[in-house]
Amino acid sequence: MKKIQFLLLILFSFFTTISYAAKVDTLDIASSTMGKTYKAAVVLPESYAKNKKNYPVMYLLHGAYGHFRDWLSSTPDKETVKNLADKYNLIIVMPEGETFSFYIDSPVNKGSQFETYITQDVIGKIDKTYRTVANKNGRVITGLSMGGHGALYLSAKHPELFCAAGSMSGAVDMGSIRNPESAERVNKLLEPVFGTTPASQEVLDSNSVLRMVDKIKSNGLPLIIDCGVDDFLIEPNRELHRRLVYAKVPHDYTERPGAHTWEYWQNSVAYHILFFSKILQNNGVAVK
């Protein structure tokens, strides 16, 4: 009898935990400029349903070849994002960025306007749908690879929207992603952004975070940047770090063992949220 009672207690605890774990919504968000509707995954921490407080939001961007659910489906531990949302009482939003948009507004393709989509449509929809801290003091952004570029790019161009930004294994130098061995393949992938005529080196360079150090400095946003030492993007990240140091731009830069893998990003995102949580606390918007 005691064994049965013990088992029932364990089962009760298990189902109670599941019932109150972080909740994942899938939200349709229309683009005002592209004439399309994309989906976004939104993780609400367990505490969200238990009070009426406004919550800070972290925007978490996916990489190239990916889509909005990558952070929920590709980490070795599928509970990673939900556990972090619960631990830090954050709403975590994972919007769609298509496979190779770099989160910029294409100068030639009205169907690829992801800078406008993220900064206007997505943020606007999230603030209208949920109890958020609907100003820059409660909004941070980070991402992996192409999404790392996107997070630094969007925060540099729109410092009025974010209080901090990060990049994990960021593709921070668009000018270096095309080399003689990969030129044809990369040009094809970049067609939605720059059109069928291959973008010049000058155009790629002008859209790279690596060339935005002066703007980043003038904005003064706290930054966290990291990359694995075995990542093929380690040299552009080291160059960005060097340029930020030379320009005397405060930032948190780390190299860790690892490559361009989900194992690395699962580990990395926890450091980013810890970094952001301290800023949100200082801004007086963290939910306790």
Side-chain angles (χ1 to χ4, degrees), residues 122-155:
V122 174
I123 289 177
K125 179 71 171 182
I126 294 300
D127 286 344
K128 288 177 183 177
T129 306
Y130 302 100
R131 296 191 318 274
T132 66
V133 178
N135 59 64
K136 70 172 291 178
N137 287 336
R139 198 181 291 127
V140 298
I141 186 168
T142 190
L144 69 89
S145 195
M146 181 183 82
H149 171 277
L152 295 180
Y153 180 89
L154 295 176
S155 63

Side-chain angles (χ1 to χ4, degrees), residues 161-188:
L161 295 178
F162 307 100
C163 66
S167 170
M168 296 168 257
S169 310
V172 295
D173 183 9
M174 291 184 72
S176 70
I177 65 174
R178 186 176 62 192
N179 55 53
E181 292 75 25
S182 67
E184 185 176 347
R185 178 177 60 85
V186 172
N187 286 335
K188 187 68 177 177

Side-chain angles (χ1 to χ4, degrees), residues 100-121:
F100 230 71
S101 72
F102 271 85
Y103 299 94
I104 71 175
D105 281 350
S106 166
V108 297
N109 181 7
K110 293 300 182 183
S112 186
Q113 303 289 302
F114 282 90
E115 176 185 342
T116 296
Y117 179 63
I118 300 297
T119 59
Q120 295 183 19
D121 303 316

Side-chain angles (χ1 to χ4, degrees), residues 1-273:
M1 186 65 182
K2 288 183 178 180
K3 288 184 179 180
I4 293 174
Q5 290 176 332
F6 180 69
L7 288 172
L8 287 173
L9 180 61
I10 291 175
L11 287 171
F12 177 78
S13 299
F14 176 74
F15 286 114
T16 300
T17 301
I18 288 180
S19 298
Y20 293 99
K23 175 188 174 186
V24 180
D25 286 347
T26 301
L27 199 63
D28 290 328
I29 304 179
S31 166
S32 58
T33 56
M34 293 187 284
K36 305 174 188 176
T37 296
Y38 291 104
K39 295 186 182 298
V42 181
V43 177
L44 301 173
E46 172 191 341
S47 63
Y48 182 85
K50 298 179 179 179
N51 60 59
K52 300 299 181 182
K53 297 178 180 179
N54 292 339
Y55 279 66
V57 182
M58 181 176 83
Y59 287 85
L60 184 57
L61 307 182
H62 66 76
Y65 309 102
H67 291 289
F68 75 100
R69 289 196 66 87
D70 281 8
W71 275 101
L72 297 174
S73 62
S74 298
T75 51
D77 179 359
K78 302 300 184 288
E79 303 299 307
T80 295
V81 175
K82 289 181 277 187
N83 289 340
L84 289 170
D86 277 343
K87 181 175 181 180
Y88 291 97
N89 283 321
L90 272 176
I91 296 174
I92 300 178
V93 178
M94 291 151 284
E96 180 61 55
E98 280 291 5
T99 55
F100 230 71
S101 72
F102 271 85
Y103 299 94
I104 71 175
D105 281 350
S106 166
V108 297
N109 181 7
K110 293 300 182 183
S112 186
Q113 303 289 302
F114 282 90
E115 176 185 342
T116 296
Y117 179 63
I118 300 297
T119 59
Q120 295 183 19
D121 303 316
V122 174
I123 289 177
K125 179 71 171 182
I126 294 300
D127 286 344
K128 288 177 183 177
T129 306
Y130 302 100
R131 296 191 318 274
T132 66
V133 178
N135 59 64
K136 70 172 291 178
N137 287 336
R139 198 181 291 127
V140 298
I141 186 168
T142 190
L144 69 89
S145 195
M146 181 183 82
H149 171 277
L152 295 180
Y153 180 89
L154 295 176
S155 63
K157 292 194 69 177
H158 301 274
E160 76 282 359
L161 295 178
F162 307 100
C163 66
S167 170
M168 296 168 257
S169 310
V172 295
D173 183 9
M174 291 184 72
S176 70
I177 65 174
R178 186 176 62 192
N179 55 53
E181 292 75 25
S182 67
E184 185 176 347
R185 178 177 60 85
V186 172
N187 286 335
K188 187 68 177 177
L189 289 168
L190 285 172
E191 279 187 12
V193 182
F194 298 115
T196 54
T197 301
S200 68
Q201 191 64 37
E202 290 74 21
V203 168
L204 291 180
D205 288 345
S206 67
N207 285 281
S208 295
V209 168
L210 204 58
R211 275 75 179 179
M212 300 176 76
V213 170
D214 288 345
K215 193 165 189 60
I216 291 170
K217 181 176 182 177
S218 65
N219 294 338
L221 296 185
L223 301 176
I224 178 170
I225 300 166
D226 67 81
C227 193
V229 294
D230 297 317
D231 196 306
F232 72 96
L233 293 175
I234 186 64
E235 288 306 326
N237 278 272
R238 285 172 175 165
E239 179 61 21
L240 176 60
H241 171 55
R242 285 191 287 265
R243 294 187 184 196
L244 292 172
V245 169
Y246 183 80
K248 297 181 180 179
V249 178
H251 63 290
D252 187 307
Y253 177 78
T254 306
E255 295 181 8
R256 299 190 191 89
H260 211 70
T261 65
W262 278 102
E263 287 78 10
Y264 180 87
W265 301 320
Q266 176 176 285
N267 182 58
S268 178
V269 69
Y271 289 99
H272 282 234
I273 293 185

